[in-house]
Amino acid sequence: MAGKVVCFGEVMLRLSAPGAEVLLQSQRLEARIGGAEANVGVSLARFGHPVRMVSFVPDNALGRAALAELRRHGLDVAGVRTAPGRLGLYFLTPAAGLRPAQVLYDRAESSFALADPDAIDWPAELEGADWLHISGVTPAVGPNAAEAALKAVRAARVKGLTVSFDGNYRKSLWDQWPTDGAAILADIVAAADLFIGDDRDVALILGHDFPQTDPMERRQAAAEAAFTGFPQLSRVASTVRTVESAERHRLAAFLADRDGHWTAAPRDVSGIVDRIGGGDAFAAGLIHGLRTDMDPQAALEFALAAAALKHSIPGDFNLVDIADVEALLAGGGDVRR
Amino acid sequence: MAGKVVCFGEVMLRLSAPGAEVLLQSQRLEARIGGAEANVGVSLARFGHPVRMVSFVPDNALGRAALAELRRHGLDVAGVRTAPGRLGLYFLTPAAGLRPAQVLYDRAESSFALADPDAIDWPAELEGADWLHISGVTPAVGPNAAEAALKAVRAARVKGLTVSFDGNYRKSLWDQWPTDGAAILADIVAAADLFIGDDRDVALILGHDFPQTDPMERRQAAAEAAFTGFPQLSRVASTVRTVESAERHRLAAFLADRDGHWTAAPRDVSGIVDRIGGGDAFAAGLIHGLRTDMDPQAALEFALAAAALKHSIPGDFNLVDIADVEALLAGGGDVRR
Amino acid sequence: MAGKVVCFGEVMLRLSAPGAEVLLQSQRLEARIGGAEANVGVSLARFGHPVRMVSFVPDNALGRAALAELRRHGLDVAGVRTAPGRLGLYFLTPAAGLRPAQVLYDRAESSFALADPDAIDWPAELEGADWLHISGVTPAVGPNAAEAALKAVRAARVKGLTVSFDGNYRKSLWDQWPTDGAAILADIVAAADLFIGDDRDVALILGHDFPQTDPMERRQAAAEAAFTGFPQLSRVASTVRTVESAERHRLAAFLADRDGHWTAAPRDVSGIVDRIGGGDAFAAGLIHGLRTDMDPQAALEFALAAAALKHSIPGDFNLVDIADVEALLAGGGDVRR
Amino acid sequence: MAGKVVCFGEVMLRLSAPGAEVLLQSQRLEARIGGAEANVGVSLARFGHPVRMVSFVPDNALGRAALAELRRHGLDVAGVRTAPGRLGLYFLTPAAGLRPAQVLYDRAESSFALADPDAIDWPAELEGADWLHISGVTPAVGPNAAEAALKAVRAARVKGLTVSFDGNYRKSLWDQWPTDGAAILADIVAAADLFIGDDRDVALILGHDFPQTDPMERRQAAAEAAFTGFPQLSRVASTVRTVESAERHRLAAFLADRDGHWTAAPRDVSGIVDRIGGGDAFAAGLIHGLRTDMDPQAALEFALAAAALKHSIPGDFNLVDIADVEALLAGGGDVRR
Amino acid sequence: MAGKVVCFGEVMLRLSAPGAEVLLQSQRLEARIGGAEANVGVSLARFGHPVRMVSFVPDNALGRAALAELRRHGLDVAGVRTAPGRLGLYFLTPAAGLRPAQVLYDRAESSFALADPDAIDWPAELEGADWLHISGVTPAVGPNAAEAALKAVRAARVKGLTVSFDGNYRKSLWDQWPTDGAAILADIVAAADLFIGDDRDVALILGHDFPQTDPMERRQAAAEAAFTGFPQLSRVASTVRTVESAERHRLAAFLADRDGHWTAAPRDVSGIVDRIGGGDAFAAGLIHGLRTDMDPQAALEFALAAAALKHSIPGDFNLVDIADVEALLAGGGDVRR
Amino acid sequence: MAGKVVCFGEVMLRLSAPGAEVLLQSQRLEARIGGAEANVGVSLARFGHPVRMVSFVPDNALGRAALAELRRHGLDVAGVRTAPGRLGLYFLTPAAGLRPAQVLYDRAESSFALADPDAIDWPAELEGADWLHISGVTPAVGPNAAEAALKAVRAARVKGLTVSFDGNYRKSLWDQWPTDGAAILADIVAAADLFIGDDRDVALILGHDFPQTDPMERRQAAAEAAFTGFPQLSRVASTVRTVESAERHRLAAFLADRDGHWTAAPRDVSGIVDRIGGGDAFAAGLIHGLRTDMDPQAALEFALAAAALKHSIPGDFNLVDIADVEALLAGGGDVRR
């Protein structure tokens, strides 16, 4: 891991109901910072990788607070520009009992969405980096962001960086502006080395379904289709989640390269504190494994354990260290003194 | 649902320990408003029914706060009078782990208990209404309240309203004054169309037990006995609760009319946040189903799902909408964005 | 239970992250008082036993707060002296989901650790008492405390008190100073009537392992070895804990005397609020059973139920009464009104 | 006060830092509802007037929470429509010590700003009302809102309602879109009976300054100019505020009609808790005085006392009753038991 | 101070709005323990006096919490009996800015009010004591309490204890039952050595006013009248309070014996946190001064400084030590490190 | 301000009572990070200066949290090493009303105190820097820290950096180990360009008092003596604080160089939120003024305004920007929208 990891995406203020309350049941909100790519960046920084965030925030108290929080968790924020617009928000009613979590996006007219796609000199921005990470939320934010995302991955490809792309399909975002989301996602996947997405993501991009009953088989078929459709793609990965209740999910994982595929057996993720960011934690765990030359099975197990641990942390960020993940891989346990 | 639903009962201030603390372990209390009939009213209002609350509160800051909270949740409070006395309180130590919840009533000398049973002109109060809901807590509060409850249900019957009565037997309340609680409850059931009560409630009123081992069979036998004993009664319903731990109950439901009976299969209610008000949520769900002409099975399933969701909401009130119940009936799920 | 129970050990300020946060994720900490022997004392006081705490605290606001909290829970604190040094602290990140709890001790240079082992006139201090309780944390604190612990148990033995000793092996404490911990523990066990410790504790003290696969068989073998090695020892007891997740443990218990042994079947301890102090709650429950002349099986069941209930209470102290334990033994249940 | 008061304006979610913290210093925010016209409406409702709010909110959890809060405080919300867009927000860093309060508006693209100016059938909406209140924030929100505001006051004028208009000049809002704010404000004042505004407001509208040194003289000159410029105008009023520190302001008040003018001597407003909404509290107090036929001096004193009391209440709303204002007018005092 | 101080009075749970909120503005309440005589007892215990509380509380979680809090602060609670009834409550809206504090008593049917006046064997209860303190709140609670109060002071007088009586006239309590409060108070003063009361208290008891303009002269005249009317009375004392705002009072003090009188110059009590219990803190400070043989001026200054410091402490109790009072007497100061 | 500012000193965890409570009155503590030099560094970073912190923290969760908080506020923490020992703590009871703030240090055996004075290669550490700031707390921590402080200032002097030294005399720290504090301080002043200290600091170092009555005259005399005693010293500065109550101080300031002296007139600092760090805020403001080539009077006014604003911010850090200081210098004001 000689070079830096660059993460490009929107940073948001997340406002969530405290305890198990529904939104605005009482007069308190918890305010935290999050965003798919920032979440990956924070987790990678805690795993020891140098991470540079590239984003746009408004030049006001909210934008500065977002920057401060990224710095707190060890990210290089020199690539975060101020720009006109708002800080994107999202309101979260956390899951409880049989109630699923509910996200209310409030990110219209954000600095990130409004920013000029040419505002970033990507070759300069990627200097010293060997990895670019982006997610499907970024192009979904709007036409400027979609164009910027494409410029980013293409510049990374030209410079020889490894590009990881997490599909993260958000229908409610894509529905807000008239576009062909699948085509844009396909353009990005066409520049990626690692695609984190399940069979629904691949189906959306390639335009055909995967009818297998078994979720692992569906993922395998989707990976094969992706490898066929995108000749530069070297790896496809995803989690397999079963929701039993707000407090208890089961989480397995899948990874394929052109030579084979690996699965990580389902973990019982009980006592869930905060499920948001679980997918980003998986992405960070997998990138960490690949960057530190773990073998595929080890990388996948590490990623799954990291994702499982995320569910025990309030907020979007996965505030665990390598030692925490390794302790879970070694069997977890009682009080550590 | 052309007419209004009138709910008659005491509104209380509930003071509960925060988090999983025992009462007064720390110096904070959560203050919320509740009461069996108000809980039903709030849930019905969220389901779109016009609801009028009839009650008595003191003319002080606590009484006004109770009124404000009912208004907040959409109830018409023109029928809530001020009267001498206190606002009834109850102190709650929420359940946690293997500790059951504990309720400490502090409702002696409340405005509701002291109010003149003739203070309400029931024919006028029920104008425009087609449904009256009352629970067994109301007559248990004391002789004045018992007399008022009887006047209410009889006036409703005369005016042709549907009367629903939720048994809600509270031994600690009936023990506070010398009376024959069973006889009073029987007088109310004798004026009701829908009786929400299980075999123990029926046994108390009719004076004989139901020895069947299977809870659903006991309920069925009790329903038949109730239909025999109360010729005007058209429906009997109840939940069937199994407590596995404070965090996990199983909840099924039963409904009978004179033509048949229906059961809703047990739901695994895990990750319980607040179990208080679960029965009232069931009552509201069932009344909603019946008022919107669902078939019996659908009404019962709706009521059970509503009751199950209540366990995920802090406070007495079931702050969910029809869409939330329908989402659970459709299988629940992961984060909604 | 004619006489007093004397508990000798360090009293600490425990600083824990609120909710399910990791330590210092937000700017709030919960501050509570705890310590192995104080925890036992508080539980015994709630069970109706007169309890005297013997300890050392600094003469500052923290030491006074520790004293006040012990008084609050009914302990006689005349035996707690002020002495130079700090109040021992420990920082706790509570367990959540798949994350185990983490304890960060910060007790170097505490008043308790620095206190002169001759500062206490044990024969006078034990006047009116018939029971002394101590745990293995006390001698682990440092050489002065180790010497004081030995003086205490030997003085108790001379005066004819019953001595209970809870092994509570804390490697991180013993590693902080050069000593033979096993030898010190053996010296204390040699003066004890009741030894609360599992096969690992006995193995450490006697220097040989117990290879049985079944945990109850290992405990039985260890108890026999302990009875052989320590001729004055009359009882050996321990819990048997299986960690399924932070929220769900299984807890069984074992008790042996020279005539036989008893086991309590595993309880499903779900919805865990705070696992710290669970072992101390078991010790207090067992001491209560023995002091009130329960038969061994009843005492063990009481102790296990008390320990299980502790997991539902925030903080180190087991704030339950005999009635709470008996209610659980009788099957637990739904809301108590 | 035979008829209703109608208030037309945006309802917002206010998110403020707790305690004396700066925004996002910690991870908590206080969430309250406010808005200039809603603030006036809530205060009037507490003073016993029937109040109808007319506004637009989004059909989501935030919009519903805003409605619930208005209902809680007794407003008729039948006139609040749902409409596409966001709920307007504002972030507040409360004043502390020598730090002034800071408001960060985040109300771009709100439902209120986007709403069709013809969405409201004003003659129908004003049925049963005898008073319309609006503030200068409403037209400042954008062209649609400005047009709607003009339609509202003109319809009210046609129907013979009394129209009160509080200037509330917010430069940061008017600067967000290209318009001649002064001309729009002038058009509204041209339809008003009561104009709440100081000499700066009048200067802005009429385009010439008032050079008098004494603030009361400036207000008197401005009132005379306003009466000259707007022939229908019957009253002009304003507060006179001197900021000594965040905790201590001095507040006087001025009222003029075409026959004379009145002043209320400065009050020492110390121990300020929340200064936001102080002007709205003054407006509500004055409207209350005028609607209950107080003489001008009494109405002005009532309005000033109401405004002074607002500074002691967290949130935008002035949660005091007539008795509280009268107690302050009678001299205040020590603990009321 | 060889003997114990006995305090007789009701112990209550105080429920107050947090921050500067009005009661139930949000869903949180602060729960603390208080009561005029308990407040005096806690302060005296912190000043080093052995204090025994005599009272009645219910045998429930609230009564036990009250006991625990008294123990926490060092009171001997062996004299607190459990009895049927409720724990008395009071709801407090703390003062803020120009809003005075508001107390809403909710103590009807309390264990203390209902207790049999013969339930206490006063000669036994006073064994080992040399001082009895009682306040005018105790007899105001109801006929049983009034009778008990008289028995207490008469028994104390017979045994030769010093009796201090703090008038603490609460009209809202005396109005709740038909009696001649003045006569009862006079009977108690007739058994007292130290009467803490101002000219209004004396006027009430003796039935004639003190017309002097200067408050100190009024107190002097009242003291002389009291010495004339009550031949056993040896001292009369009171504070002189001027309320400038909720945050700033001025507080002076007066003390007389049969040989002369002393005054303490007004202190500027700014930044008031909680004014409740200020009078009790004065009583405790004065009793401390007298019991430790300070000269009258020193005792009065100590009492005034103690009372002034109380205003900086949340809750009823004056949680300051002798060193804190002495530091203020020595001039206060900046940060103490 | 071409180069970096290096700050060398201990970083601590500050644990303070919430609201106006006394320490551990309730079970909550606020946890923040602070330390004299870190406070200066954070303020300078907010004013736009590149700042590098040099310190030692333990390699545990507390040390990492301290680092994260410094990063959050923009400090370069590459110079903060991990080392054996504890993180220094201090417990704070904030001032309230007439109660002064109380600091309870708990920093024995901290990583900073234990660190090898040769652990830092100062010439390397100061590379790229043009300013070193240190305070008198650093050498007071213990012999290792004192030696390290001397090495730091001497190395800075050799490299031609400007050295600022804030006396910050803490008697309670110097008393903990046997040394001649005055001599050590003198050695540091002998290497400083800017000495922030008042006449008491100079008197301590030079061993003679300054008898002038007027505080500004005393400071002038002390500055002259310092210039005489320390030939390299170019500037002496200090604040002049008068404590009226916990909520209201008056703060003036003094600056001298070898050519003259300047004073800033007293500011009324009312509504104080947190006085800790006020001196550090002054130091940072002055360093900012000097580094940006303000004239002496302007620099002093800026420093005083910055210090005054600090009193409005919870925590040690002065979280204000240049614009905030300039706004206060321009007269402050009402709500900024």
Side-chain angles (χ1 to χ4, degrees), chain F residues 162-206:
Chain F
T162 302
V163 174
S164 52
F165 176 63
D166 187 342
N168 260 344
Y169 187 68
R170 300 279 184 271
K171 188 169 184 305
S172 65
L173 292 178
W174 286 107
D175 285 354
Q176 291 184 324
W177 55 294
T179 189
D180 180 354
I184 293 174
L185 293 175
D187 284 350
I188 298 178
V189 177
D193 299 274
L194 166 62
F195 176 43
I196 301 178
D198 62 15
D199 46 283
R200 288 166 304 177
D201 294 299
V202 176
L204 180 84
I205 291 168
L206 296 182

Side-chain angles (χ1 to χ4, degrees), chain D residues 259-276:
Chain D
D259 297 323
H261 73 273
W262 298 265
T263 60
R267 282 188 172 275
D268 211 350
V269 184
S270 63
I272 294 178
V273 170
D274 191 334
R275 174 251 181 281
I276 308 292

Side-chain angles (χ1 to χ4, degrees), chain E residues 279-299:
Chain E
D280 304 322
F282 174 75
L286 186 59
I287 293 169
H288 170 71
L290 298 176
R291 279 172 64 83
T292 56
D293 298 321
M294 293 184 187
D295 68 53
Q297 185 68 37

Side-chain angles (χ1 to χ4, degrees), chain F residues 241-278:
Chain F
R241 182 182 296 270
T242 313
V243 176
E244 299 187 359
S245 73
E247 270 73 40
R248 181 180 289 254
H249 293 187
R250 288 179 70 75
L251 204 61
F254 170 85
L255 171 65
D257 65 16
R258 291 182 177 267
D259 297 323
H261 73 273
W262 298 265
T263 61
R267 284 188 171 273
D268 212 349
V269 184
S270 63
I272 295 178
V273 170
D274 191 334
R275 174 254 182 280
I276 308 293

